[in-house]
Amino acid sequence: MPNRYAGTEEDRAALDAYVKLWRAAHAVEVAANRHLATYGLTVSQFAVLEALYHLGPLSQRQLSDKILRSSGNLTMVIDNLERDVLVSRERVPTDRRVMRVTLTPTGQELIGRVLPEHVAGIREIFALLPPDDVTTLADLTRALGLAVAQRDSSDR
């Protein structure tokens, strides 16, 4: 049984790049977020806290767009953060359909403790590569992401 896709050389090159990108992204995500369990946080909960910390209060829709999570999943994440008194929700007076999510003082204090450790962990991961490779990686992944987004928006 062959262990390689029998398509064209271009097919195999694209699949090889995709698999390597996915595996590397997964390995980096696992390593970068391992410490969150120490604080009782999931990756999605951390993403919400981090977005609110840097951007201020946001609607659930804005948070969903910012952290790339579905609104259904985000509702449960915010429910759990609210239960733990890390965020609060309030209706926007000018549009009662919209819920604004805000960090509580407890949430502010927690993300203030977690974020420096998170950044240090990411820096440690990328220190495994030479600085020029990190720059090249950032440039290539940005270019790929923008090209896919542009293609997808023109397909609509």
Side-chain angles (χ1 to χ4, degrees):
M1 167 160 60
N3 60 1
R4 296 184 64 94
Y5 180 70
T8 68
E9 189 171 328
E10 291 83 9
D11 290 344
R12 288 191 307 273
L15 285 170
D16 184 53
Y18 173 79
V19 168
K20 288 176 180 169
L21 176 64
W22 188 88
R23 285 182 178 165
H26 181 70
V28 168
E29 181 178 17
V30 168
N33 294 313
R34 187 173 289 127
H35 71 285
L36 296 178
T38 304
Y39 298 96
L41 294 172
T42 67
V43 173
S44 294
Q45 288 172 330
F46 173 77
V48 167
L49 295 175
E50 190 270 336
L52 296 173
Y53 182 76
H54 285 105
L55 302 173
L58 296 169
S59 72
Q60 286 190 209
R61 174 67 163 203
Q62 290 169 317
L63 274 168
S64 177
D65 292 344
K66 197 52 127 172
I67 68 167
L68 307 175
R69 297 291 192 265
S70 71
S71 58
N73 174 262
L74 188 60
T75 298
M76 184 185 69
V77 170
I78 294 170
D79 285 347
N80 291 334
L81 289 170
E82 192 172 38
R83 176 201 65 210
D84 295 339
V85 196
L86 299 172
V87 302
S88 63
R89 280 187 276 212
E90 63 180 319
R91 293 215 180 271
V92 173
T94 56
D95 186 347
R96 305 237 346 118
R97 296 170 297 174
V98 178
M99 293 293 277
R100 181 178 297 134
V101 183
T102 305
L103 276 178
T104 64
T106 304
Q108 183 89 22
E109 185 274 327
L110 178 62
I111 193 66
R113 279 189 295 128
V114 176
L115 193 56
E117 182 180 338
H118 186 72
V119 171
I122 291 172
R123 189 169 175 199
E124 186 179 300
I125 290 166
F126 283 96
L128 297 170
L129 295 175
D132 288 348
D133 287 356
V134 173
T135 301
T136 300
L137 177 62
D139 292 344
L140 289 171
T141 53
R142 183 175 192 273
L144 179 60
L146 289 172
V148 169
Q150 182 178 15
R151 184 206 61 189
D152 289 352
S153 69
S154 66
D155 285 350
R156 291 181 198 159

